[in-house]
Amino acid sequence: MNFDTLNFGLSRRALLGGTAALVAAQYLGSTGARAQAADRKFAAALGWTTYDSGRHLQDGFTAAVQELGGSLTTTDAGFDAKTQTDQIDSLIASKPDALFITPADAVAIAPAVQRAIAAGIPVFCADSSVPGVAVNTTSMSNNFGMGAYSCDYIAKQLKGKGRIARVLLPQNESWDQRTLGMEWTLRQYPDIEIVADWAFALAGNVTPRQAVDNILTANADIDAIWCAWDGAAVEGTLAARAAERPNLVITGIDGGSQAFSYIAGPSQLKLSMAQSFYEMAYLSVFYAHQHLEGKKTPRLVVTPTYAVDQSMLKDGLPDDFDVPGRAAELGWVRAV
């Protein structure tokens, strides 16, 4: 679902460039409704705010609350599930009108999320679902589709035959779907062989750079590396440069200025599945307002992902590609 299809009567100019009062007036209608929206108290328990993904999510929450109404209290767990659990419990005690969550370890924080729901607090998740917990709305990418698409890109670059390695991200159930999508695509390419796997662990001592260094040392004839996220893809690119492997094909998932700079380089990083993090966050705030007004909200919204290669970056590195409407201005078309 693209944000541009939401029918609440706002132009992109008004939505993104107008004052909070003007935007609230257009979408909320009456003076009483605007005043009610302005008084709402929101909280966001963010799993991380680092990297382009975390920054775009945080920017989306902040902008949406400023433009649609309310106040926002934000915490950052730094990818630590215990910290995020404690932060959620603290935010529950503050009794917000709605709680926004970006889960780094969705399984581990599920009991805390359930406690928020039991306390009568509407919960809206961005980027990942929380298994076994009925939150109001989850806005996220098609993780299976991103994994499948990026794997197909590698397969076509290799003309259906070659040796590849994988850097995996099993920490989160949603993120692990990327690996399942990748594996599904490989069923169509029996002449592509997986020769090395490495699974990232948040609490581990090995970095993606070190892992790829080891993979390249042990596999002199490797052709490509499929990475479950752009952080690993960027570090893998640095490893490939150090190993003098100019023909290696590397793909990643996330999008943002750092990955785009390597793709535009050019470098071994050829493709990023660029997610709409800003839009995920904005949708969470929008649907929180809708819910608090007694309106229906979707259980799941699948936000756009763009398959960004060098040809799409010839006119610059757009950091705002996931602001609703911007991708269309760039001429980008969603891939999944």
Side-chain angles (χ1 to χ4, degrees):
M1 180 178 181
N2 193 309
F3 202 104
D4 294 333
T5 65
L6 292 175
N7 184 20
F8 52 96
L10 289 179
S11 68
R12 177 176 177 270
R13 181 182 298 275
L15 180 61
L16 302 177
T19 65
L22 175 60
V23 172
Q26 288 182 315
Y27 121 82
L28 291 173
S30 69
T31 301
R34 295 196 300 272
Q36 189 176 37
D39 289 339
R40 289 173 182 146
K41 183 175 66 173
F42 298 117
L46 306 183
W48 72 101
T49 58
T50 53
Y51 308 115
D52 286 332
S53 60
R55 177 171 56 84
H56 283 221
L57 284 162
Q58 188 173 34
D59 288 349
F61 284 120
T62 301
V65 171
Q66 289 175 346
E67 293 164 7
L68 302 179
S71 62
L72 180 66
T73 299
T74 302
T75 61
D76 176 7
F79 287 110
D80 185 270
K82 175 62 167 62
T83 298
Q84 189 169 26
T85 292
D86 293 342
Q87 290 170 342
I88 290 171
D89 285 332
S90 178
L91 292 173
I92 291 171
S94 72
K95 299 181 179 179
D97 292 305
L99 176 61
F100 310 126
I101 298 175
T102 58
D105 188 334
V107 173
I109 69 168
V113 178
Q114 186 60 54
R115 287 194 290 274
I117 294 172
I121 299 171
V123 177
F124 299 81
C125 288
D127 184 56
S128 300
S129 62
V130 179
V133 180
V135 305
N136 290 72
T137 299
T138 298
S139 302
M140 61 187 292
S141 302
N142 177 349
N143 284 280
F144 185 95
M146 292 190 298
Y149 190 105
S150 55
C151 180
D152 192 63
Y153 176 90
I154 287 176
K156 289 175 179 175
Q157 292 294 305
L158 302 183
K159 296 181 170 42
K161 185 174 183 178
R163 294 161 58 85
I164 68 173
R166 306 186 300 177
V167 180
L168 311 175
L169 190 61
Q171 184 76 28
N172 184 303
E173 183 180 37
S174 295
W175 300 340
D176 196 44
Q177 294 292 314
R178 302 170 189 179
T179 300
L180 298 179
M182 187 266 190
E183 291 172 344
W184 176 254
T185 294
L186 279 184
R187 294 172 65 88
Q188 305 172 49
Y189 297 99
D191 292 328
I192 292 180
E193 179 186 1
I194 298 173
V195 298
D197 274 345
W198 179 73
F200 178 69
L202 292 175
N205 296 321
V206 179
T207 68
R209 170 62 192 272
Q210 293 168 333
V212 177
D213 281 335
N214 294 335
I215 288 171
L216 294 178
T217 298
N219 298 275
D221 57 349
I222 199 170
D223 299 301
I225 302 177
W226 178 91
C227 296
W229 79 106
D230 277 346
V234 167
E235 292 191 37
T237 300
L238 296 175
R241 284 180 174 176
E244 298 183 351
R245 305 287 286 275
N247 297 322
L248 201 66
V249 176
I250 299 176
T251 64
I253 293 172
D254 277 338
S257 56
Q258 184 185 40
F260 292 168
S261 67
Y262 282 90
I263 294 170
S267 74
Q268 292 89 340
L269 181 51
K270 303 299 183 184
L271 178 81
S272 174
M273 302 301 295
Q275 304 184 70
S276 298
F277 292 112
Y278 185 106
E279 185 169 332
M280 294 176 198
Y282 208 111
L283 282 163
S284 296
V285 178
F286 173 75
Y287 281 121
H289 278 292
Q290 293 286 95
H291 173 79
L292 293 170
E293 292 160 22
K295 299 175 182 177
K296 291 182 178 180
T297 61
R299 183 70 66 187
L300 175 66
V301 180
V302 178
T303 50
T305 299
Y306 307 96
V308 178
D309 61 12
Q310 188 182 25
S311 69
M312 297 167 65
L313 302 172
K314 60 182 182 298
D315 296 324
L317 310 179
D319 191 53
D320 60 349
F321 71 94
D322 57 345
V323 173
R326 179 60 174 144
E329 292 178 355
L330 294 167
W332 293 9
V333 178
R334 71 184 295 169
V336 294

